[in-house]
Every structure is written in C-alpha cells, then in structure tokens.
Amino acid sequence: MPTEKKISSASDCINSMVEGSELKKVRSNSRIYHRYFLLDADMQSLRWEPSKKDSEKAKIDIKSIKEVRTGKNTDIFRSNGISDQISEDCAFSVIYGENYESLDLVANSADVANIWVTGLRYLISYGKHTLDMLESSQDNMRTSWVSQMFSEIDVDNLGHITLCNAVQCIRNLNPGLKTSKIELKFKELHKSKDKAGTEVTKEEFVEVFHELCTRPEIYFLLVQFSSNKEFLDTKDLMMFLEAEQGVAHINEEISLEIIHKYEPSKEGQEKGWLSIDGFTNYLMSPDCYIFDPEHKKVCQDMKQPLSHYFINSSHNTYLIEDQFRGPSDITGYIRALKMGCRSVELDVWDGPDNEPVIYTGHTMTSQIVFRSVIDIINQYAFFASEYPLILCLENHCSIKQQKVMVQHMKKILGDKLYTTSPNVEESYLPSPDVLKGKILIKAKKLSSNCSGVEGDVTDEDEGAEMSQRTGKENVEQLNNVPVKRFQLCKELSELVSICKSVQFKEFQVSFQVQKYWEVCSFNEVLASKYANENPGDFVNYNKRFLARVFPSPMRIDSSNMNPQDFWKCGCQIVAMNFQTPGLMMDLNIGWFRQNGNCGYVLRPAIMREEVSFFSANTKDSVPGVSPQLLHIKIISGQNFPKPKGSGAKGDVVDPYVYVEIHGIPADCAEQRTKTVNQNGDAPIFDESFEFQINLPELAMVRFVVLDDDYIGDEFIGQYTIPFECLQTGYRHVPLQSLTGEVLAHASLFVHVAITNRRGGGKPHKRGLSVRKGKKSREYASLRTLWIKTVDEVFKNAQPPIRDATDLRENMQNAVASFKELCGLSSVANLMQCMLAVSPRFLGPDNTPLVVLNLSEQYPTMELQGIVPEVLKKIVTTYDTAFPGGRSEWPAIDYILTGQRLAVHRPS
C-alpha cells in the first residue's frame, strides 16, 4: 500500500490545512471540545465546526493573528485542570486580536501540530502574498539541485533514466536508505499513474527524492528560524546556533563556514543559504552529536594525587570468555589496553620449562606464557593513553620462577617500570601527570627490616578469593579467612613502590596506620557491605588510599558488577570483565570517555576535599551541590536495524526508547517512550522527559532502543554518556551495538536542555532556575562544631547567606515569570525569550512601543508612551530579573534589526 505523504514544504502544510484536521479546543473551565478546523481556500480565515456561533463568528481572520505559540504556554493551558494529561508536543496556541486572546488547541500528533504552526506562521509572514510565495517556492533551490543531479545521470538528454541509476543516486545522497525501500517508492508512484516500464522521469525523481530524503521534524525546525523561508541564511543560522545549540562567540563567518561545509547545492554555497538538505547534513554530522567534543581530549586537571581519580580497570584481563572454562589469550590485553584500560591483572603461576604462565588457578582455563604477556603490555601500554598503567600481579609462583618474572619485566619493560621509593614526608600519591609513561606494579612487598634475599608475606587477597571459589559467600567469613603465607623474593619485592598490596582491617585502623602507598583489595560482596553500612567512612578512606574492587569469583560466567555501586563510594579501581558486554560494560566504557578516554577521570570535589562530607547512599540532594534538571525530548529515530538475535521474519521492527539515569541512588531513574509500530526506518516519538540530577558529576545517561515485537532478542542499540559530556540543543545520538561497535547510520534525534533547580552549574550549559511549584524557601544551615572561635566566625555569616538566598530566589522567580509571559516553557533560555517577545515591541503603524538599550550586560527595556497592559507586565518582570550590566549578545542585533526596532547601541 502507498505510504502517507511526508510534509516537505510550506505548500504541503497549507494544502493540509485547507483539507482540515480534527483538533481539540481547550477552555479554561477544564473542558475540551472536539472541533474540525480548516483554512479557507482564499487563505484569509481560520474556521472551525461544529459551533453554536454563527458561521461568520466561528472563525479568526489571519491578519488578526499576533503569534502562534508551541506547547502549553498560555494562562488557559497552565490553569486548566487536565493540563498534565495533554502532551506538550501536541499543544499550540493562536494569539489574536488587540487584547491578545488565545485559541488553545491540541492536535492528535506532534506532526499535525507542527503542520498548523508552520502554516499559520507562514500566512502571518506573507499575508496576501502567500500564493505568490508558494508558487515561487515550487522552483526553489532544492528542486534545482535535485534536477541537476538527474541531468548528470541523463547524459544523453533522454528525459528519463533507469530505475537502477535512480535508486543508486538517491542512496548515494542518503546512505541510510534501504535499496528495497527506494525501489518500492518508485513502483508505488508508477502504479498510481498506471505507468508501465521502469524508466524514471525528472519529475518522478524529484518527487521520490523529496518524499524519502525529507525529515519533517528537521523541516519544521528549519522554518522556526528561517522567517518562513525554505532555507537558512547566515543570520538565521547564527540565531539557531546561539539560541538553540548554545554556541558561544558566534559570528557570520562561522555560519558561512558551516554552510560551505554542509550545503550540497552550488547555488546555496554561493549565496550563503543552507537548504533543508544542508541543514540535515549539519545536524547529522559529528558537529551536532550529543557528546561534547571538548571531552574527546584530556580536559581535566591531571596533577591531583592518583587517589583522586577513577581508574579504568580490568579483571582477569587474560580471559576472553568465562573464568571457569574459557580460553586465556593475549588478545584480552590488547583489547583492554586499546580501550584505555589503565589497570590490568596478571594471575601468575609456575609453568613448564621454568617459564611462569598466566591463567585462573584451580580452573579449566587455558594458559599463556608470562613473557609473551609482558611483551604485549610493552607494545600497547601507552597505545591509548600516556598516563600510568598499573599491573595487578597475583603472584603464586615459586622463588625460582619469581626470579624469571623479574628478569622478563626488567628486560622488556626497562625504564618504564616505576620503582622509586615513596617519600615518607608526603601524604598523598604522585599525580598521573608526574607518572606519565610509567608502569606501576601492584603486589606484595617485603617489610623494610627484611635483610635476606627472600622472605614470607601474607596471601590474604588470594586466600579470600579462593575461599569464595569453594562457595563460601558469607560476608563475615571474608574477614576471617585463614591467613596463608608464601615466600617472596626480594628482587620482585623491589619492583613494588607506591602500590603495595596490604590487607584491609577496618576504617579506623586504616585512618591511623595505613600508609598512602598501600593498596587494599575488596571483594565486591565485602565492598557492598561497607558501601551500605559505612558509606561516609568509605568515601573518606578513598580520599587518600587506592581501593581495588574485584568481582565475586562466584560469577563463573564472568558477568559484571555495577561499577556505579563503588564509584559512588570513591573506589578508584573497579575491575571489570572486559570480555562480557552488557549494561555494566556500557557504563564503564561511557564513563571513561569523558576525559579523552585516557583511563583516568577526576572524582567530584566533594569526594576529594578533606573537609567535605558525602554519604554515597544519599536519597536526596547533596549539600553544597546544586541539583540540575535534565530535559530530554526523544524526537525521532533513523535506520534502526533488526535485533541481531531475533528469530522474527522480515526486517520490520516496533521500536521504543528507554532513557536511563545512572548515578547516586537519588538520581537513578528511567522513562520510556511509546512504541512506534512497524517503522524502524524513521520512527517519530516526540516525547519529553524530565529528570532531577542531584550529583551531576557522578551521573550518566543511557539511551536504549528496543524492539517491542521480538522473538529471542529485543536489543537494537544503545549509547551511554556522562552527564557532564552532554551538549544541549538539537543533537543526534549515534547508536552502538551490544559489543560497542557503531551501528551504521542508526541514530536517535533528541533535544537536550539543562536548567538549574537552584542556580550553579556551567554557565554555557545551564539555563536559569525552573520553578517547580511553590515550596518553602530553603536556606543554607551551618553546623555547630563546638569550637568557640570557629563557631563565632561563621555565626556572622548566617545573615548575608540568607540575604543572598533571597536575592537569588527572587531573581529566579522573576526569570520564570518572564519566560511564561513570553509564551515559552521553563527550559527556554533568554535568547529564545527575546526572539519570541520582540515582535510585540512594534505598534500597528510600525512605531516602537519598546526601545532596547544594548550597552548593558543584558538589554534594558524602555517603554514608549501608552502600551498594552501585557507588554507593560513583560517589561516590569524583565527589569526585576535583570537590573543591568554590559551586553555580550552578538545575535541580539539581528533579532532587533530583523524586527526594525528602535535600538540604543553603545557608542
């Protein structure tokens, strides 16, 4: 059956409006009326039926419409008792008349709402010239470019090309399209025209290209910023980049560079115009991916002590399958090191021919020669990162083969080995920056008073692990494992410097006697116990000491623990089974992307500062950290493949999307979209979600696409990203397979906004406060330390802190009110507010009602004579929020000049 025609131009929107749509009319008394709305054929009036009013009164003249607002952004929507049941993306309002009355409507889908919003805005802009504009747009820049593509294939000027050539050309322009889908579209078109043969004419080629290569959601976005043109000029693009994408220091040169890079038509490049195809190319490029490119390189302070970083760590690195029967292979080390891993494990046992071997003892895993592993480590140690690599040496060898180990490491690794003795005068470990290019050995070390060439040391780490292999999973037994002892040669002991393995006793003992260069290992069961029972102590312990957490050996399938459970306690070395894909490895891989994938991520300040206190199990906001509100709109998907393990026939999928938040317990949440039936090529979701993030520096966002109609396997793709790496605005999310490979052409199209619940955050990423209902005002409280001199000093700080809180809250409330008066939602930024409200600053005869002064940090507004009450309220609210400063808004000139407003610019 022929598929429904896509909207790809203003003409399509106008035609759809003339045909009419059923819309819901919302009234202030919580009632909703179902009405049929249509545009008069002469395009002068908007009508609805049935109506109790006279047919001449059940209409609105197009010329009386002041603006068209998207979302639930009028008083009627806000005060309506059932507003929560109405989708933000399906709602829009027509503001008309001298008194700014509103006609509040809800469409059956976001697409229908976009058609009406786009069409009405087009009519408002062009009025009686609409027909002329529509006719001229038929021969627009895009059509000319597509026709030229056709002519380049039709070299003999036959007026037609073969179906094969037509399909190949369209696929070259849009590689994500399936060949079968393009062929089907041409066949549908030929069938509708009762046409025999397979030749494709220019008109058919242009029609099918428009149908298949136009993404309506991007077209609707383009016309929002193009002043209802079919393209963006350099100033339109400037406005989009600054107001929506949050690009700082934008200018026309940057806009022109983007146009030259992404606009496919020669005409567009020459005129500085970005067509829908160029705009789509730009939005789908890495420039508009959701991951902030600033984090693709090392961007954190690398001069803090080693204990202040999370370290990308591998468990049983030598295994490539499970840890009971699976094979051992050097490829495990190559894979881990290429992925940025900075802590690998070597489980070393006596081997034949006096050559130590690596495998999991007391299991059926295969063996690899120790020397070959050291060779591979030498080759790949600094392949992905120049920062220190930790070799976790689990030594089970005889003295004789220990000496062989030492010979191999000294000969192969040479100067890379870090053997400098720790400075007893220091209190913290050296920094990753100081240790660049060095390999650290984490293992047992003989006591300093051992004078012989060998001595005995405890074997409690391995003993605990071995006891668990026999099934003793009781937590109490972990601290009461019989202490074994084994012989250690002095040469191997001397290779251990700042990562000496010691047994953990309890936190208070460690705080008193543990040296900063000593490292404790925790089985995940024991670590979970401490995380739940002593979360504050665990965080404080990890401020000075390195803690390694390894999976329970009961995970014989090499499944993974959740690294977030231990990162939230500050544990630096959370060892993961890199060979086992899934949610837990997605979190690990995603987490370590945020610092150039160098294997080190600086922990939140609250986990590093000596005077701070943080409990890992907090279920509320974190003292001293401003919660952020994350607003995510899942707009659409592109080119979803069928799940790999699915047993269903055909290629059709029924996709839906989960958005998951991973972090401290107070932040963990998930939301899902509706299912889009039988559309994996271009599903439209148009659903918005909101999450409160209490500790942004430890939060991650995971997008998961699943198939609702599956047999055997539902997983389509995922992408995991640290909260701090999110780019706001309209972004594409490149999906990855279960094993981490990029899925060709498969992506999600989303909109991201981040606002503060109570101030704070990165200035270029964070909006101002969002009002979340009326709550009692929260004031910072000071804890009494019972140290008189200190308490007296801080007692005087209480009144100014209270005044500052009042000032901040009052300003934020004024900003929220200003957004409402501008007809925008809480996630809007101030640039978008100015863009929305500026058309109201002109009177009917084009005389300015408001003059703006750009000499301050934010433009100041000055009323001119008698103005409507609503405009007076906007100016008053704005003045409350922004008393003044110096203007740094490069795009504001364009907003104001475009509206022909009176502007006072600084001399």
Side-chain angles (χ1 to χ4, degrees), residues 12 15 106 150 157 172 203 233 256 313 321 435 468 696-697 754 771 808 811 827 833 838:
D12 292 340
N15 290 336
V106 181
F150 179 90
N157 286 326
N172 289 342
E203 292 71 24
D233 60 28
L256 205 54
S313 309
E321 289 180 23
L435 296 170
Q468 289 209 322
E697 289 176 282
I754 301 171
R771 283 193 307 192
R808 181 186 65 191
M811 185 274 286
V827 301
C833 290
S838 56

Side-chain angles (χ1 to χ4, degrees), residues 7-25:
I7 299 294
S8 62
S9 67
S11 179
D12 292 340
C13 294
I14 300 292
N15 290 336
S16 178
M17 291 164 63
V18 170
E19 290 176 11
S21 308
E22 183 180 285
L23 303 173
K24 296 166 190 165
K25 185 179 176 185

Side-chain angles (χ1 to χ4, degrees), residues 522-534:
F522 300 82
N523 180 284
E524 69 168 290
V525 181
L526 186 59
S528 295
K529 174 179 181 287
Y530 291 139
N532 291 322
E533 296 178 8
N534 311 89

Side-chain angles (χ1 to χ4, degrees), residues 675-699:
T675 298
V676 177
N677 293 320
Q678 299 189 6
N679 188 350
D681 295 328
I684 299 291
F685 299 101
D686 272 323
E687 288 192 61
S688 301
F689 307 116
E690 182 181 290
F691 304 93
Q692 178 164 310
I693 312 295
N694 294 285
L695 186 55
E697 289 176 282
L698 211 58

Side-chain angles (χ1 to χ4, degrees), residues 186-436:
F186 278 115
K187 289 174 182 176
E188 285 176 1
L189 185 60
H190 287 169
K191 187 173 179 61
S192 69
K193 294 180 176 180
D194 294 325
K195 178 181 173 180
T198 58
E199 289 81 14
V200 175
T201 66
K202 181 190 289 186
E203 292 71 24
E204 291 167 347
F205 182 78
V206 170
E207 184 174 342
V208 169
F209 176 85
H210 280 219
E211 185 79 9
L212 292 178
C213 298
T214 304
R215 286 176 50 186
E217 71 274 26
I218 292 183
Y219 171 73
F220 292 132
L221 178 60
L222 179 140
V223 295
Q224 282 183 44
F225 287 88
S226 69
S227 304
N228 299 300
K229 304 186 296 291
E230 298 290 306
F231 58 84
L232 296 170
D233 60 28
T234 53
K235 290 184 177 178
D236 296 328
L237 185 56
M238 269 179 67
M239 182 55 57
F240 172 74
L241 294 172
E242 189 165 21
E244 279 296 346
Q245 305 298 83
V247 179
H249 312 299
I250 194 70
N251 54 45
E252 287 194 59
E253 287 72 25
I254 294 173
S255 291
L256 205 54
E257 284 176 17
I258 290 171
I259 292 170
H260 287 157
K261 185 175 180 180
Y262 295 106
E263 173 54 39
S265 72
K266 189 175 180 181
E267 180 187 356
Q269 291 194 18
E270 289 173 351
K271 293 182 176 178
W273 293 350
L274 193 65
S275 68
I276 177 66
D277 301 292
F279 193 42
T280 303
N281 290 341
Y282 171 61
L283 287 174
M284 293 191 72
S285 73
D287 289 349
C288 285
Y289 280 176
I290 194 168
F291 190 89
D292 186 344
E294 288 295 313
H295 290 269
K296 288 185 177 180
K297 57 182 183 291
V298 175
C299 56
Q300 296 176 347
D301 178 7
M302 300 303 288
K303 296 182 179 179
Q304 299 277 333
L306 208 61
S307 60
H308 287 183
Y309 297 85
F310 297 114
I311 303 172
N312 195 357
S313 309
S314 164
H315 175 248
N316 287 353
T317 316
Y318 45 89
L319 293 179
I320 55 174
E321 289 180 23
D322 70 75
Q323 63 185 46
F324 188 67
R325 302 171 186 269
S328 304
D329 199 286
I330 56 172
T331 57
Y333 289 95
I334 296 172
R335 178 188 57 210
L337 292 170
K338 281 187 170 183
M339 291 172 69
C341 180
R342 295 289 84 198
S343 172
V344 296
E345 185 178 1
L346 296 86
D347 209 345
V348 194
W349 300 76
D350 280 354
D353 303 322
N354 200 34
E355 281 290 346
V357 293
I358 290 176
Y359 75 105
T360 305
H362 309 291
T363 67
M364 290 181 277
T365 57
S366 61
Q367 303 175 0
I368 47 178
V369 178
F370 177 79
R371 184 186 64 245
S372 63
V373 171
I374 297 299
D375 262 329
I376 286 296
I377 288 173
N378 185 52
Q379 289 179 50
Y380 290 94
F382 304 104
F383 178 90
S385 171
E386 61 183 344
Y387 293 103
L389 174 66
I390 300 171
L391 304 187
C392 295
L393 214 58
E394 300 290 355
N395 171 26
H396 308 274
C397 292
S398 62
I399 292 292
K400 184 179 179 182
Q401 294 210 10
Q402 286 179 34
K403 291 179 178 179
V404 176
M405 288 168 58
V406 173
Q407 289 171 10
H408 289 326
M409 285 192 285
K410 283 185 173 180
K411 181 180 177 182
I412 296 169
L413 301 179
D415 292 342
K416 293 175 185 173
L417 285 172
Y418 183 83
T419 56
T420 306
S421 298
N423 185 346
V424 294
E425 301 295 322
E426 300 285 342
S427 301
Y428 287 93
L429 290 164
S431 70
D433 189 68
V434 167
L435 296 170
K436 274 183 188 176

Side-chain angles (χ1 to χ4, degrees), residues 550-567:
F550 57 87
S552 164
M554 294 305 290
R555 295 180 180 272
I556 59 173
D557 59 350
S558 290
S559 59
N560 274 306
M561 54 193 172
N562 187 340
Q564 283 273 7
D565 290 344
F566 308 105
W567 289 337

